[in-house]
Amino acid sequence: MEGVTDSGLANLPASDRPDVAARLRTALLGASFTADGLLELLGAPAYAALARSETVPALRATRGDTPLETLVRLFLLQQPVPHARAADFLPVGDLLETGWLTRAGGDEVAASVDVRPYGGPDGEDWFIVSDLGCAVGGAGGIGQRNEEVVLGVGGASTTLAGITVRAPVAAALDLGTGSGIQALHAARHATRVTATDLNPRALHITALTLALSGAPAADLREGSLFEPVRDGETYDLIVSNPPFVISPGARLTYRDGGMSGDDLCRSLVQQAGERLTEGGFAQFLANWQHVAGEDWQDRVRSWVPRGCDAWIVQREVQDVNQYAELWLRDSGDHRGDPTEYQARYDAWLDEFEARKVKGVGFGWITLRKTGAAVPSVTVEEWPHSIEQPLGDTIRAHFDRLDYLRDHDDADLLEGHFRLAVEVVQEQVGLPGAEDPEHVVLRQHRGMRRATKVDTVGAGFAGVCDGTLSAGRILDAIAQLMGEDPVLLRDRTPAQIRLLVEQGFLEPAG
């Protein structure tokens, strides 16, 4: 691991014994210690409770003596188990020697790290390693014990994994790798994976996650943001779930960026452009400030580096009080001394007040390196439900941008289009009315958008199956409606362009 120091690695298993990790993996799989195995053993309610860091239902469901029950208590619930029982199905001697297990009392062993089964997108049996008690993202108070703690998989981690564009690439970069979940996903389709983190403990745990999951080793480098990236290095894919929390100070390494306001996210986005290969994607989760007297869309639009298309989606906005309370609960401050809690709350609000911040937005930022003379930057608010994974949807968005950029209105009329999969038409109006007040096209996949269309737009979309050109369809509609076909051809391309841009229509070759 390039540049990785030995500090902060206490009580972790050795990362230079892949043979032991392989034997442990074999034992875990042999006992069905997998995502599917856990669901079958625990049942859906107890399994869901584990995702909320609630262990009582799982403890009740693992009171037997089977190998799987023993492994759940050992690696997920942090309960000591009898040495003799563990030795029946685990290479206990090797695990004690390399630090995966420790002795607890006279005749018991305990886990040194949390190991959680994780199902890959194609049914792979993976294992995510994290610090004890940290399998679920969101520390829930553990940050007060160790500011460099490494969390497991949380909602943010799975969100980023789901929106990432997946295609075979030569080189991928995971900035701020944490427990290694993004590097693990990237290893499926990237020839070379580089993972960086400011926290050497995170890099060590990433190495364990990859080894225990049977994935190729990554190039692990210690440092902040793009500092570990060498001059001239570029990547086809860059992903980051950075420590984006806007906080007074950098108390907790796993979440606090240590820069003023949203400067860390801004720096990350702005510096990504020069590290991308032509056509390469960079995808981030981020927070951004809503400042009094400033349009938040203009703020994040200004982050986009030159030579990049961008799609920025704001998923949620919290006022400053909600935001401070969320992250004070995350670090467990609400459980501590009330005076100290109030002081930290005040410090957070003082920081926001000084910067005239009224709220904080959360969302996704996707960049794509382009050679276009005028890159496209789309910034939108979309708090509605979506269907993950969205990687293919995001890649298709940029493909459609290219198509629209290369086709003027005359080209659109010559083009052939196909209605996207699972788009339905809804007619909205008063019950019993002869005609609907308006017609809505609705997607049931991906972003699940809905858009109002007029009679022409609805009729046009309904017959788009790729066989007829747009112009010929409009001529037929004009004849049916008794309209001037020239005027209809003149006014409709803008609507076609919007339907293509939003994914309701797809170019048919």
Side-chain angles (χ1 to χ4, degrees):
M1 290 187 286
E2 182 178 307
V4 178
T5 64
D6 290 333
S7 62
L9 304 184
N11 305 318
L12 289 179
S15 64
D16 59 353
R17 291 293 303 275
D19 57 320
V20 175
R23 285 197 288 276
L24 175 56
R25 173 177 172 79
T26 298
L28 298 179
L29 294 177
S32 296
F33 186 68
T34 63
D36 289 342
L38 285 187
L39 181 59
E40 183 176 349
L41 170 69
L42 303 178
Y47 190 71
L50 267 184
R52 302 189 300 269
S53 295
E54 295 290 348
T55 60
V56 172
L59 282 168
R60 292 174 61 86
T62 56
R63 289 177 285 194
D65 197 33
T66 67
L68 180 53
E69 288 170 301
T70 304
L71 288 171
V72 171
R73 291 199 303 274
L74 180 64
F75 284 117
L76 282 185
L77 306 178
Q78 283 84 62
Q79 302 293 310
V81 302
H83 181 290
R85 182 63 183 124
D88 287 340
F89 50 86
L90 288 175
V92 169
D94 289 338
L95 298 179
L96 285 169
E97 178 187 348
T98 54
W100 287 95
L101 298 179
T102 61
R103 294 192 179 275
D107 59 355
E108 292 184 317
V109 293
S112 63
V113 288
D114 200 308
V115 175
R116 179 161 297 225
Y118 179 86
D122 289 328
E124 300 93 341
D125 289 315
W126 290 342
F127 299 97
I128 308 301
V129 180
S130 62
D131 275 309
L132 291 174
C134 307
V136 179
I142 49 106
Q144 292 187 324
R145 298 202 304 265
N146 182 356
E147 65 180 21
E148 294 188 344
V149 71
V150 178
L151 303 185
V153 177
S157 303
T158 55
T159 293
L160 179 58
I163 68 172
T164 300
V165 173
R166 303 293 176 193
V169 296
L173 173 64
D174 175 16
L175 282 178
T177 187
S179 60
I181 179 61
Q182 308 306 329
L184 183 56
H185 275 278
R188 294 176 59 249
H189 60 98
T191 303
R192 176 172 58 90
V193 177
T194 300
T196 73
D197 205 290
L198 183 63
N199 182 2
R201 190 174 183 86
L203 295 174
H204 192 100
I205 283 181
T206 291
L208 299 175
T209 290
L210 294 173
L212 195 57
S213 298
D219 179 4
L220 305 177
R221 304 181 192 177
E222 182 181 342
S224 177
L225 300 182
F226 288 98
E227 287 177 3
V229 178
R230 305 184 191 104
D231 290 343
E233 279 187 320
T234 56
Y235 298 87
D236 308 295
L237 175 67
I238 299 172
V239 293
S240 184
N241 175 18
F244 53 68
V245 176
I246 300 170
S247 63
R251 188 162 59 102
L252 302 176
T253 303
Y254 71 87
R255 69 167 206 197
D256 299 332
M259 295 186 184
S260 175
D262 52 17
D263 282 354
L264 181 136
C265 292
R266 175 184 56 80
S267 298
L268 183 63
V269 174
Q270 288 180 337
Q271 293 173 24
E274 62 184 353
R275 299 298 186 181
L276 282 174
T277 58
E278 188 70 21
F281 285 91
Q283 299 185 264
F284 314 104
L285 302 185
N287 273 176
W288 42 80
Q289 298 174 147
H290 284 229
V291 179
E294 176 184 277
D295 187 328
W296 71 268
Q297 294 193 0
D298 291 340
R299 183 180 190 86
V300 293
R301 188 178 283 110
S302 72
W303 295 0
V304 177
R306 295 181 63 182
C308 287
D309 292 323
W311 185 15
I312 300 171
V313 180
Q314 178 169 272
R315 294 287 291 157
E316 181 182 4
V317 183
Q318 292 184 314
D319 66 47
V320 293
N321 298 326
Q322 292 174 311
Y323 190 79
E325 291 162 11
L326 169 67
W327 295 110
L328 287 167
R329 286 195 303 271
D330 172 86
S331 57
D333 290 292
H334 63 304
R335 300 194 191 108
D337 177 28
T339 302
E340 187 174 346
Y341 172 80
Q342 182 175 342
R344 285 185 169 156
Y345 200 148
D346 270 331
W348 226 301
L349 297 186
D350 286 345
E351 185 98 350
F352 286 135
E353 185 176 338
R355 292 189 171 85
K356 299 182 180 179
V357 176
K358 303 301 182 183
V360 178
F362 167 80
W364 325 317
I365 297 176
T366 299
L367 307 177
R368 186 190 60 168
K369 192 69 172 286
T370 179
V374 182
S376 169
V377 178
T378 301
V379 183
E380 63 176 319
E381 187 165 16
W382 192 255
H384 313 293
S385 64
I386 58 165
E387 182 188 58
Q388 285 273 39
L390 272 177
D392 288 345
T393 298
I394 290 175
R395 178 168 52 185
H397 166 87
F398 288 94
D399 289 344
R400 294 193 302 271
L401 281 183
D402 288 341
Y403 177 87
L404 293 172
R405 199 154 37 200
D406 294 340
H407 292 74
D408 61 19
D409 286 356
D411 294 329
L412 288 183
L413 292 174
E414 293 297 320
H416 294 240
F417 300 93
R418 194 177 286 116
L419 191 65
V421 176
E422 293 194 29
V423 172
V424 298
Q425 176 180 302
E426 299 174 357
Q427 295 185 343
V428 181
L430 293 174
E434 184 175 344
D435 297 311
E437 293 180 19
H438 55 262
V439 177
V440 174
L441 298 181
R442 187 178 302 277
Q443 301 168 352
H444 282 271
R445 299 185 67 180
M447 293 293 286
R448 293 179 174 169
R449 295 187 188 277
T451 187
K452 289 182 183 180
V453 290
D454 59 17
T455 304
V456 172
F460 180 85
V463 297
C464 277
D465 60 3
T467 58
L468 297 176
S469 69
R472 289 188 62 186
I473 293 173
L474 290 177
D475 290 343
I477 291 174
Q479 185 175 5
L480 286 172
M481 299 180 63
E483 290 201 28
D484 184 332
V486 175
L487 294 178
L488 194 61
R489 279 173 171 256
D490 284 344
R491 77 168 194 259
T492 307
Q495 191 170 12
I496 297 174
R497 192 171 292 274
L498 179 63
L499 291 175
V500 172
E501 181 182 338
Q502 294 189 345
F504 292 93
L505 294 178
E506 299 171 347

